[in-house]
Amino acid sequence: MVDTASAQPYAPPARPRSSAPPLQRPPGTAAPEHPHSAATLIGSVQRAMRLLESVAEHEYGAPAKQLARETGLALPTAYHLLRTLVHEGYLRRDKGLFFLGEAAERLGSSGAAQKRRSTVADTLAQWRDSIGVPMYYAQYRDGEIEIMCVSDTPGNPAVEEWADFRETGHAHAIGQCLLSQLDEDARRDHLDRYPAQSVTPYTVRDNHTLLRRLERMRRMEPVVERQQYALGTVCAAIPITVGTTAATMAISLPSHHADRLLPAVRQLQDEVGRLLGSLAISISI
């Protein structure tokens, strides 16, 4: 996990930068005196955005003439922009009516997903401050353990991911908690790909022993591990299952503060219990 002083929601890798040289003004051309003035706005973009907003208000579609009237555009201009937006996938046309297209819907879903991620990150930061421990949120998705968000402070840093968390799920509380929520076939599939092996002297050493341990875990009880992943660190995780999503919230502490672990995770359980209803959608980030 990354040592950071703020909540960090997961973000996809950045796209590679273009190799094309940056655009430059011709020699001797001065920059505009007021770069944020109305003169720098691109009118066609503004008009296209108004059309998109107007189409979005019509669940059952709208014809070009109505959209032109609502946006105050000349009909030929509206037709030209509508055809362009259809070509780019932001609108679709069906029997003379215009509807939002897949590209526009993807923009909307991306914004909703970002809002859900922000909700989880903000919530973890609140719990981090109130409980006084680093916070983690993780899911089991597509056969992999994924750390979705980490929230810590310089005074209470997160555990350093010195060994890949996906490959060492048997050794840390996050992984054990997620595996405990899977059925037997899914557990065995995971361990076939990432077999249990020694990470520290305290780590479970084989798949058979781990599977027996997972079977004994009570469904809603916290999962606790002591120095199995990192020497000098103790961790606890609580299961969160909403629909088919296996997820967990977890905390960590230095081993010399191990006496705080159980009270802290119980407090976390209480906090999650109070907010689980409002987080039920957000945790599917």
mmCIF file of all heavy atoms in Angstrom, residues 30 41 53 57 175:
data_model
loop_
_atom_site.group_PDB
_atom_site.id
_atom_site.type_symbol
_atom_site.label_atom_id
_atom_site.label_comp_id
_atom_site.label_asym_id
_atom_site.label_seq_id
_atom_site.Cartn_x
_atom_site.Cartn_y
_atom_site.Cartn_z
ATOM 1 N N ALA A 30 1.702 37.948 -30.922
ATOM 2 C CA ALA A 30 1.575 38.126 -29.485
ATOM 3 C C ALA A 30 0.437 37.286 -28.952
ATOM 4 O O ALA A 30 -0.538 37.018 -29.648
ATOM 5 C CB ALA A 30 1.335 39.606 -29.154
ATOM 6 N N LEU A 41 -13.557 31.801 -26.628
ATOM 7 C CA LEU A 41 -14.489 30.696 -26.606
ATOM 8 C C LEU A 41 -14.807 30.250 -28.022
ATOM 9 O O LEU A 41 -14.888 31.056 -28.950
ATOM 10 C CB LEU A 41 -15.773 31.101 -25.889
ATOM 11 C CG LEU A 41 -15.603 31.551 -24.438
ATOM 12 C CD1 LEU A 41 -16.948 31.962 -23.852
ATOM 13 C CD2 LEU A 41 -14.986 30.435 -23.600
ATOM 14 N N GLU A 53 -27.347 19.229 -24.210
ATOM 15 C CA GLU A 53 -28.146 19.456 -23.003
ATOM 16 C C GLU A 53 -29.637 19.396 -23.318
ATOM 17 O O GLU A 53 -30.431 18.860 -22.546
ATOM 18 C CB GLU A 53 -27.784 20.814 -22.392
ATOM 19 C CG GLU A 53 -26.383 20.851 -21.799
ATOM 20 C CD GLU A 53 -25.978 22.255 -21.387
ATOM 21 O OE1 GLU A 53 -26.719 23.214 -21.732
ATOM 22 O OE2 GLU A 53 -24.919 22.403 -20.741
ATOM 23 N N GLU A 57 -32.717 16.431 -22.092
ATOM 24 C CA GLU A 57 -33.969 16.746 -21.399
ATOM 25 C C GLU A 57 -35.166 16.010 -21.990
ATOM 26 O O GLU A 57 -36.258 16.053 -21.425
ATOM 27 C CB GLU A 57 -34.214 18.260 -21.439
ATOM 28 C CG GLU A 57 -33.185 19.055 -20.632
ATOM 29 C CD GLU A 57 -33.402 20.550 -20.768
ATOM 30 O OE1 GLU A 57 -34.309 20.944 -21.548
ATOM 31 O OE2 GLU A 57 -32.673 21.318 -20.110
ATOM 32 N N GLY A 175 -6.650 -9.904 2.139
ATOM 33 C CA GLY A 175 -6.812 -11.061 1.271
ATOM 34 C C GLY A 175 -7.591 -12.183 1.938
ATOM 35 O O GLY A 175 -8.475 -12.797 1.329
#
